[in-house]
Amino acid sequence: MTDSHTDTNAAADGDNTSASTETGLRAFLRGRSELGVCALLLAIGVLVLSDALSMDTDFAQRGPVGPRTVPIVVGVALLVVAVLLAVDVLRGGKGEAEGGEDIDLSAPGDWRTVMLLAGVFLANAILIDPLGFPISGALLFWGSAYALGSRAFDRDPLIAAVLSTVTFFVFDRLLAVPLPGGPLMEVL
């Protein structure tokens, strides 16, 4: 009887060792959930850099700064931020828990706004080729303002049209990033 009791205790001690290791790892990670954000930033940084370095730039190179420059800078910045955040978290740094935000965590989400914004973005994706960027962009800007609560029907469409046209000119003419002009291509 003593031998079976000893075997049971040995098995229980073996289970406690594996459980304490798992608990130790869980306890270590429990206070450091920001490491997940670090891993995400690191993965996105590696993805951005790998895409930027494999980009074919012959068609768009017009000067010493080509289309790879911004993605490389963004990718490197993502990697640097991921490493700095990981070092801070491992040294005991923590983000402030809802300190500066005035939100009610028990209130339900505003699904109407989310669905309106999703619909506006989907409509822009569908309409950008047939209508061109100036028109679809104006609809995107105006629809986003409406979804977020603006009801200035006399002012918002005008601001959206100006923003869309300026954005079209900056990308298409100044940065040489071709955007579809649509029916307004002859006018613009």
Side-chain angles (χ1 to χ4, degrees):
M1 215 175 291
T2 311
D3 290 335
S4 66
H5 181 62
T6 306
D7 290 340
T8 306
N9 285 341
D13 288 342
D15 290 342
N16 283 344
T17 304
S18 66
S20 66
T21 303
E22 184 177 296
T23 305
L25 179 62
R26 283 187 180 174
F28 175 76
L29 293 177
R30 184 176 312 269
R32 295 172 178 88
S33 61
E34 292 93 349
L35 289 176
V37 175
C38 298
L40 181 66
L41 289 174
L42 185 73
I44 293 172
V46 168
L47 178 67
V48 168
L49 280 176
S50 66
D51 280 350
L53 294 175
S54 66
M55 183 185 298
D56 181 27
T57 60
D58 294 337
F59 70 93
Q61 186 79 26
R62 290 195 177 188
V65 177
R68 286 184 180 178
T69 305
V70 172
I72 288 175
V73 169
V74 169
V76 169
L78 283 167
L79 294 178
V80 168
V81 168
V83 169
L84 291 176
L85 181 60
V87 168
D88 181 53
V89 169
L90 292 174
R91 287 184 174 176
K94 291 185 178 223
E96 188 176 323
E98 303 295 331
E101 296 184 25
D102 186 23
I103 59 170
D104 182 13
L105 295 176
S106 64
D110 186 7
W111 287 105
R112 179 183 179 274
T113 301
V114 171
M115 297 312 285
L116 282 172
L117 284 172
V120 166
F121 280 100
L122 181 63
N124 183 55
I126 293 170
L127 296 174
I128 195 165
D129 277 334
L131 296 181
F133 184 82
I135 296 173
S136 71
L139 292 173
L140 171 71
F141 293 139
W142 178 75
S144 297
Y146 179 82
L148 293 172
S150 178
R151 298 297 183 260
F153 295 115
D154 55 340
R155 181 188 62 192
D156 288 347
L158 295 174
I159 293 172
V162 170
L163 278 174
S164 180
T165 305
V166 168
T167 304
F168 176 78
F169 277 118
V170 167
F171 277 91
D172 196 61
R173 303 291 195 267
L174 296 177
L175 297 175
V177 176
L179 292 175
L184 295 179
M185 188 59 124
E186 301 299 322
V187 177
L188 298 175

